[in-house]
Every structure is written in structure tokens, then in C-alpha cells.
């Protein structure tokens, strides 16, 4: 691999540069992700089992309807969808990971749960006034680029019934300067990114003018084959979030901190804000 290519690859990305590849839908990586989702102990792809149970119960306490139609966007293997269905709600889960949707569908059938899973990109949602509640959980809102955010919010608003609620969580601005990833080198015979030898170079960057942290992964495989993955993780102050939601028609917007416990976890109750917004 020549010097100028390495230099170019490891330069600070320009704001909203796209990587060459998508992690969630890669056939090999999505298998590693499914294992991480299903590990009840860690917060890697889904939060720990205990946190998911607590968050699901908290979500249900935000509404007083005993039987809701719920849309779970980015449902992964259905960890929230199952808990909500077990409480008597009718759930639709949407995810663009084929692997997760396949697993979730099999589980729902085996457990005889009323969940409809759809393999779809949630940027292209097409529901109209169908749901009492839409959830988008585990900071997925943060990685939406501004144009995508506009589109997803408009779709969510349309998919809700009058009086329906949208619940989601985001990173807030507290201690944000401590949240930029450090440089990490990884040399593997096989692992998370590839079933063959690779070198992964990870670096983090802060773009304060856009209130976004970038997570940049460069994965170099055999034959100098390179994949890059960039996640743009926005953080949101309350006033900004309220203005974004109001511009799409949402009202009765409430922010909740400490839904997650205060802990030494990288993202804890202090750094994560949950929002509840209503369709008028
Ligand atoms: C961080 S995981 C969270 C999964 C789940 N909400 C949870 O907390 O257990 C993000 C999920 O969103 C899915 N996802 C990301 N972008 C998506 C998109 N544009 N359309 C559909 N699913 C998406 C991923 O495949 C992944 O399952």
C-alpha cells in the first residue's frame, strides 16, 4: 500500500463524508452484530438485558393506553419489540439488517407473539396515521445526517395517529469533549470486521460547529482491500431538539434525563436524554 493512500485514508474526514461500506447490512459483520445484540451483559449493539427491561417499562409508563399499536424503528433482533408485545401491545418492527429481521421473525413465531417484522430502510417508511407509539432506541437518531433526520421525522409524524407519541434517546452535550474516540490500532487474524486477516485503524473527531462526533474506522484486508466506515454521532441540546421537533409539527415535547442509571458506562444517565413528543 503506498504512502499517499495511507495518508489520504487517515486524514480527518470532511464533515459528512461517507464511508465506502455500511456496517449494519454487511452479511459477515451483521452476524457478529447479532451475537453482540443478544449478549445480555454488554451495551455493544443493544443495551444490557437489565437496561432494556427498565427502558421498556419506562416507555410504557409514558402512555396510559393498555393496548397500543407500536412501531419499533431499528428494532434489531426485537429485544424491545418482544417485551412490548408480551405486555399486550401490537408491535411492528422495522430494520434493514436481514440477519436481525430473520432472527426476530423466528423468535416471534416460536414465542407466538403479535409482532410483524419488516425488512426495510426506515428512511423510506410509508405508514399513515397507524401507530399510537413510535420508538427509535439506542441513539439511532444521533447518526442521522441532517437531511435524513428531516425525512425520518416527517415519516414518523405521518405514521402516528393524532395524539400518538414518538419516544427516542440522544446524546446530550454534557462532557462531550471527553467522548471523542481515541486512536486505536487493531491487527487481527479474523474478528469483528472480517473473517480473514485485517488491520483496523480507528480514530475519533469532534466537529463542534456541527455538534457532531465522528467515528472513523479504516479496515485494511488482504490484497490491500480497504473498507471505511464513518458514523456521524450528533449530540443535541434541549432547545435545539425542541426546535427540530416543533418544526415537524410535534408538540408537548418533554425531555427526560437519568432514564438510564448513573454509572461509569461510556454513555450513562447523565449523557443520554430521552424525548417524548406528541402528534397534535
Ligand atoms: C444500535 S442498534 C439498536 C437496535 C435496537 N433498537 C436495540 O436497542 O436493541 C441500531 C439498529 O438500527 C438498524 N438500522 C440502522 N439504520 C437503519 C435504517 N436506515 N433503516 C433500518 N434499520 C436501520 C440497525 O440494523 C440496527 O439493528
Amino acid at each position: 500500500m503506498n504512502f499517499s493512500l495511507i495518508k489520504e485514508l487517515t486524514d480527518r474526514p470532511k464533515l459528512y463524508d461517507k464511508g465506502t461500506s455500511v456496517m449494519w447490512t454487511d452479511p459477515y459483520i451483521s452476524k457478529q452484530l447479532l451475537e453482540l445484540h443478544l449478549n445480555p451483559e454488554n451495551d455493544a449493539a443493544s443495551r444490557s438485558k437489565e437496561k432494556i427491561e427498565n427502558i421498556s417499562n419506562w416507555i410504557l409508563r409514558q402512555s396510559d393506553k393498555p393496548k397500543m399499536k407500536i412501531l419499533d424503528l431499528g428494532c434489531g433482533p426485537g429485544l424491545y419489540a418482544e417485551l412490548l408485545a408480551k405486555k399486550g401491545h401490537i408491535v411492528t418492527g422495522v430494520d434493514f439488517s436481514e440477519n436481525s429481521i430473520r432472527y426476530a421473525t423466528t423468535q416471534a413465531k416460536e414465542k407466538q407473539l403479535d409482532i410483524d417484522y419488516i425488512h426495510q430502510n426506515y428512511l423510506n417508511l410509508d405508514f399513515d396515521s397507524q401507530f399510537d407509539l413510535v420508538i427509535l432506541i439506542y441513539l439511532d437518531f444521533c447518526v442521522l445526517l441532517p437531511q435524513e433526520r428531516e425525512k425520518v421525522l416527517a415519516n414518523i409524524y405521518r405514521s402516528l395517529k393524532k395524539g400518538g407519541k414518538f419516544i427516542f434517546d440522544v446524546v446530550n452535550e454534557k462532557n462531550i469533549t471527553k467522548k471523542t474516540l481515541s486512536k486505536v490500532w487493531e491487527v487481527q487474524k479474523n474478528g469483528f470486521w472480517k473473517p480473514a486477516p485485517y488491520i483496523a485503524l480507528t480514530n475519533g473527531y469532534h466537529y463542534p460547529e456541527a455538534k457532531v462526533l465522528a467515528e472513523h474506522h479504516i479496515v485494511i484486508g488482504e490484497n490491500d482491500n480497504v473498507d471505511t466506515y464513518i458514523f456521524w454521532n450528533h449530540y443535541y441540546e434541549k432547545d435545539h431538539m425542541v426546535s427540530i421537533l416543533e418544526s415537524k409539527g410535534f408538540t408537548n415535547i418533554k425531555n427526560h434525563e437519568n432514564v438510564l442509571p448513573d454509572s461509569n458506562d461510556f454513555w450513562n444517565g447523565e449523557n443520554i436524554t430521552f424525548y417524548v413528543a406528541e402528534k397534535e
Side-chain angles (χ1 to χ4, degrees), residues 24 37 45-46 74-76 80 95-97 120-122 137-138 140:
W24 297 109
H37 279 297
S46 292
C75 62
Y80 289 85
D95 204 290
F96 68 0
S97 162
Q120 193 191 7
N121 188 326
Y122 56 55
I137 301 294
Y138 210 1
D140 284 26

Side-chain angles (χ1 to χ4, degrees), residues 151 196 273:
K151 200 171 172 192
T273 305

Side-chain angles (χ1 to χ4, degrees), residues 16-279:
Y16 300 141
D17 267 357
K18 282 202 183 325
T20 59
S21 311
V22 178
M23 175 182 83
W24 297 109
T25 51
D26 178 274
Y28 171 76
I29 301 173
S30 65
K31 289 199 183 114
Q32 317 308 306
L33 283 165
L34 181 57
E35 269 182 41
L36 291 173
H37 279 297
L38 299 179
N39 184 330
E41 308 294 337
N42 71 33
D43 283 353
S46 292
R47 292 190 173 105
S48 68
K49 186 168 187 278
E50 190 186 352
K51 285 184 187 146
I52 291 176
E53 283 169 0
N54 289 337
I55 294 168
S56 303
N57 290 333
W58 179 84
I59 287 172
L60 290 178
R61 287 201 298 277
Q62 307 313 306
S63 291
D64 46 18
K65 287 193 175 175
K67 186 161 182 156
M68 292 188 281
K69 282 195 78 181
I70 302 177
L71 177 61
D72 180 0
L73 297 179
C75 62
L79 304 175
Y80 289 85
E82 287 193 7
L83 291 176
L84 299 171
K86 281 180 187 160
K87 294 264 162 87
H89 302 284
I90 301 162
V91 185
T92 301
V94 172
D95 204 290
F96 68 0
S97 162
E98 199 175 354
N99 210 33
S100 284
I101 287 292
R102 196 180 309 120
Y103 173 88
T105 306
T106 310
Q107 290 291 310
K109 221 178 254 169
E110 276 174 19
K111 296 173 185 164
Q112 301 189 331
L113 293 169
D114 195 353
I115 311 176
D116 185 20
Y117 285 110
I118 303 175
H119 176 220
Q120 193 191 7
N121 188 326
Y122 56 55
L123 295 179
N124 308 321
L125 277 191
D126 195 19
F127 294 111
D128 204 335
S129 309
Q130 273 165 265
F131 294 98
D132 301 290
L133 174 64
V134 177
I135 61 172
L136 178 66
I137 301 294
Y138 210 1
L139 311 179
D140 284 26
F141 191 91
C142 295
V143 296
L144 296 170
L145 304 185
Q147 270 180 320
E148 297 172 338
R149 183 180 71 206
E150 295 297 302
K151 200 171 172 192
V152 169
L153 278 176
N155 289 343
I156 290 173
Y157 192 83
R158 201 177 56 246
S159 71
L160 283 167
K161 295 178 190 169
K162 203 168 176 299
K165 289 183 174 156
F166 172 40
I167 299 185
F168 63 105
D169 58 335
V170 294
V171 171
N172 61 41
E173 73 285 7
K174 278 186 212 135
N175 298 322
I176 204 68
T177 51
K178 295 188 192 145
K179 300 295 180 185
T180 310
L181 277 192
S182 313
K183 226 175 237 176
V184 181
W185 278 40
E186 211 192 316
V187 183
Q188 299 284 5
K189 289 203 177 90
N190 58 65
F192 177 79
W193 295 107
K194 278 182 187 297
Y198 67 84
I199 297 173
L201 310 174
T202 293
N203 207 351
Y205 304 89
H206 187 191
Y207 301 69
E209 68 289 1
K211 298 191 190 310
V212 67
L213 302 177
E215 200 180 297
H216 189 202
H217 303 272
I218 302 157
V219 183
I220 306 167
E222 290 168 314
N223 308 322
D224 291 349
N225 175 18
V226 179
D227 291 294
T228 61
Y229 303 84
I230 310 183
F231 301 94
W232 295 100
N233 290 308
H234 296 84
Y235 52 93
Y236 290 94
E237 290 160 16
K238 185 187 167 203
D239 289 352
H240 184 205
M241 182 59 84
V242 169
S243 75
I244 290 171
L245 292 168
E246 282 181 346
S247 75
K248 291 289 164 217
F250 286 100
T251 59
N252 208 2
I253 298 157
K254 302 230 163 58
N255 62 312
H256 299 261
E257 283 169 22
N258 297 310
V259 173
L260 293 171
D262 239 347
S263 66
N264 292 328
D265 293 347
F266 192 73
W267 299 120
N268 61 30
E270 203 193 357
N271 311 118
I272 304 298
T273 305
F274 280 69
Y275 282 87
V276 182
E278 209 170 297
K279 177 170 177 172

